[in-house]
Amino acid sequence: MTEFLELETQDAVRMPWNVLPGSKSEAAQCVIPVSAIYTPLKPFPNTPTLPYAPLRCRNCRSVLNPFSIVDFSSTKIWICCFCLQRNHFPPSYQSISETNMPAELFPQYTTIEYESPSEKASLTNPVFLFVIDTCVIEEEIGYLKSSLLQVVGTLPENCLIGLITFGTYVHVHELGFGQIPKVYVFKGSKEVSKDQVLEQMGFFANKLKPTTGVIAGVRDGLSQESMSRFLLPASECEFTLNSILEELQRDPWPVPADYRAARCTGTALSVASHLLGICVPGSGARIMAFLGGPSTEGPDCVKDFV
């Protein structure tokens, strides 16, 4: 019992079972489900803070840890303990050996903290992604435009802003192309995956898309130019954003008399989360959704008759 209390003190994790079931039949026989209680703000006075970014698996994005299988030979690779993906160590890890291991491989450091100066500096700007429902009456559209124009004028100049409008379809506005309004449209009745967002929004228009691994941010192959088309500092996109908001109109698609408007809220929020995961992975961002009613189209919709 003392051993489990020590582990709980070390990692701030408590589980109802000491051993996980090894098969589906054993899991079905468990009266208490397998679960975990994690205390994220628990203080760890003896845990070091590493002054660099964590080394992540190319396939599942999990972090190098003491349970990973490490080959200290000339190949210098490590195998992810979650997906068994083989990963090469970067040049900064080439001097590691069985007697010279980095702190994240020490068995007593199953919980550890990282603080990368470069990543910390790059994630200081707040991110706001506006998701606007256009299935409302013209009067409400007018009030919303007026309020949003005031909000945009009060935002800090360094914060990043993006814009998505939706009704029957989802419209992702390209704020980095102010000469002519440019919009990417997704059908609201279908689920949209992250790969579809990457492909249809042209993130790899001029370069080869990686065939394996998670694609998110500059470190995984995306260019800063392709991402800045959709998330721009307020000082650079204020004019374009104001022009789009001033011309914002009600969703033009006709609605039968006994039906609600086709409002694809689920698809719009899914596209918004994919866009943030691609452009600003691992950073704090806020999706500000302005809704006029229940979702009646696409994923997570409710009955669309009244």
Side-chain angles (χ1 to χ4, degrees):
M1 187 63 182
T2 305
E3 177 184 356
F4 298 113
L5 292 177
E6 291 177 353
L7 292 175
E8 181 181 331
T9 304
Q10 176 179 328
D11 297 321
V13 176
R14 174 179 294 183
M15 302 187 67
W17 298 103
N18 299 329
V19 179
L20 297 179
S23 63
K24 289 185 178 181
S25 60
E26 292 180 359
Q29 295 175 2
C30 292
V31 179
I32 302 176
V34 177
S35 59
I37 300 176
Y38 178 56
T39 308
L41 300 180
K42 184 178 179 62
F44 295 104
N46 298 324
T47 300
T49 300
L50 305 184
Y52 50 85
L55 184 59
R56 296 183 178 274
C57 173
R58 179 63 183 170
N59 184 53
C60 69
R61 304 295 294 173
S62 61
V63 177
L64 176 66
N65 59 80
F67 302 102
S68 303
I69 303 173
V70 181
D71 182 3
F72 293 104
S73 63
S74 58
T75 56
K76 291 291 191 300
I77 63 173
W78 62 281
I79 301 176
C80 175
C81 59
F82 292 97
C83 66
L84 302 181
Q85 170 72 25
R86 298 167 65 90
N87 301 274
H88 288 276
F89 281 101
S92 57
Y93 284 77
Q94 290 306 308
S95 61
I96 65 173
S97 64
E98 295 183 2
T99 58
N100 183 29
M101 294 191 301
E104 55 263 45
L105 291 179
F106 287 7
Q108 67 269 28
Y109 290 155
T110 50
T111 293
I112 205 167
E113 294 186 2
Y114 296 87
E115 185 177 5
S116 173
S118 59
E119 290 189 357
K120 184 178 180 181
S122 64
L123 299 178
T124 54
N125 296 342
V127 182
F128 297 95
L129 182 54
F130 296 112
V131 180
I132 301 175
D133 175 14
T134 58
C135 293
V136 294
I137 61 178
E138 292 291 345
E139 185 178 7
E140 292 180 347
I141 285 282
Y143 291 143
L144 178 59
K145 289 193 292 185
S146 176
S147 299
L148 288 176
L149 290 173
Q150 294 180 11
V151 169
V152 172
T154 59
L155 290 175
E157 294 184 354
N158 65 332
C159 73
L160 302 179
I161 300 178
L163 178 64
I164 294 177
T165 58
F166 71 95
T168 307
Y169 290 83
V170 179
H171 302 81
V172 183
H173 298 265
E174 186 174 317
L175 302 180
F177 194 78
Q179 293 80 3
I180 301 175
K182 194 171 184 181
V183 181
Y184 293 83
V185 182
F186 296 89
K187 193 171 183 180
S189 59
K190 295 183 178 180
E191 292 189 12
V192 181
S193 65
K194 183 179 178 181
D195 290 335
Q196 290 175 319
V197 172
L198 284 167
E199 180 179 356
Q200 298 182 26
M201 295 177 64
F203 282 98
F204 290 97
N206 300 321
K207 58 191 307 186
L208 185 65
K209 177 183 176 182
T211 56
T212 60
V214 178
I215 301 173
V218 178
R219 292 182 58 187
D220 295 308
L222 294 179
S223 65
Q224 188 63 44
E225 292 76 13
S226 65
M227 294 184 292
S228 62
R229 294 178 299 150
F230 306 100
L231 294 175
L232 278 178
S235 58
E236 299 180 18
C237 69
E238 184 175 359
F239 176 77
T240 303
L241 186 61
N242 288 344
S243 301
I244 296 174
L245 292 177
E246 289 176 355
E247 298 177 0
L248 191 64
Q249 297 180 352
R250 188 176 184 274
D251 186 47
W253 293 93
V255 181
D258 56 343
Y259 281 77
R260 295 189 180 100
R263 181 181 287 109
C264 58
T265 307
T267 304
L269 294 177
S270 176
V271 172
S273 63
H274 289 326
L275 182 62
L276 292 178
I278 292 169
C279 297
V280 285
S283 63
R286 172 172 291 184
I287 299 176
M288 303 186 69
F290 301 89
L291 311 178
S295 175
T296 57
E297 183 81 359
D300 303 321
C301 69
V302 298
K303 293 182 178 179
D304 57 355
F305 56 84
V306 294

